[in-house]
Amino acid sequence: MTPAPLPAPALPPGPEGPPLLLGTSAFGQNERGFPVFDAYWEGGGRAFDTAWLYGHAYGPGCCERTFGAWAQSRGVEKDVWVLAKGAHTPECLPDRVECQLTESFERMGRDTAALYMLHRDNTDIPVGEFVTVLADLVDRGLIGAYGMSNWTLERVTEAVAYARAHGLPLPAGISNQYSLINMVHPIYPGTETSNDPAWRAWLAEGSARLYPWASQGRGAHALAHPDELRTGPLAESWYSRTNAARIHRAGLLAERTGISATGIALAWTLSQPFPVVALIGPRQPEEVRDSLAAAAHRLTAAERDWLETGEGDLPAR
């Protein structure tokens, strides 16, 4: 069966833009966010990841307001490509979707988003109720396309089937965790990974584009030595012997290519045999530039597989 084509609005615009989404969750203050956003924009980045919940513990809406203030101050409100998310647990309910989206628009000073995703799933709700609400937002032009973040493959395929059966727009994107190192324990409650054979096979069919978060391994590749993964703050969610070995191999390939180990991890994520637009979370302008440089690099299939499995020797280009 030939897979349905990907909806056009689900891809950040322009061949000049890197296949990245800059995360805004760390920037609830203009003085912290503006330099990072500027560095990203100057490097060709145009797509941003936002969410109703970002910064909620410090001041509800602070991250969306900071992003909106930056876009307005730079005069680029019409040029940015926005992934918005909402309806996070415990408000993951169909009747909370539009009111939170409206509030997000007010905070950011805009009236549309290219892509909107449910931030979590609520398995007590039939998928059809969520799909119906999201499809209505597309039909009314409030969002260009919709998707799901931290959903299981079973629920996503059920949503696709419902949309097809009822002649509604299909989900265009999935934002689950995906990186060279595996998430061995959820970072946050309710989070899901797409890094398993079933998900990879489904994504390879072209049914939806993957927008992975923690796409560079949550900073693990910046550790001074792979052994630090076992004892440091990342241990609970990321430590395994397999992951430590992958970090080591990424470091070896980094030495050969001149790209940072964190950059190699990003290149691995972007070199998958299915469509990927990676969410990145740099905190400083220099980290932005490092990610932008890596985003232009593609691994060979042999390099990609060697980083993951360690089978054989470091491939020669």
Side-chain angles (χ1 to χ4, degrees), residues 77-157:
E77 306 101 306
K78 302 300 182 182
D79 301 313
V80 292
W81 190 100
V82 173
L83 162 60
K85 299 192 297 294
H88 192 290
T89 308
E91 297 190 71
C92 189
L93 300 164
D95 63 3
R96 294 297 294 158
V97 172
E98 184 168 355
C99 61
Q100 285 198 1
L101 179 61
T102 299
E103 191 167 6
S104 290
F105 284 162
E106 292 172 352
R107 294 167 174 175
M108 292 187 282
R110 58 186 309 106
D111 53 16
T112 61
L115 178 61
Y116 176 84
M117 291 186 180
L118 298 175
H119 209 162
R120 289 289 191 276
D121 190 11
N122 181 349
T123 56
D124 291 334
I125 304 295
V127 295
E129 294 186 28
F130 282 127
V131 171
T132 299
V133 167
L134 295 167
D136 178 65
L137 295 175
V138 174
D139 185 60
R140 290 157 55 198
L142 294 176
I143 59 177
Y146 73 90
M148 293 85 175
S149 180
N150 297 297
W151 275 44
T152 64
L153 180 56
E154 180 182 8
R155 288 276 286 182
V156 169
T157 54

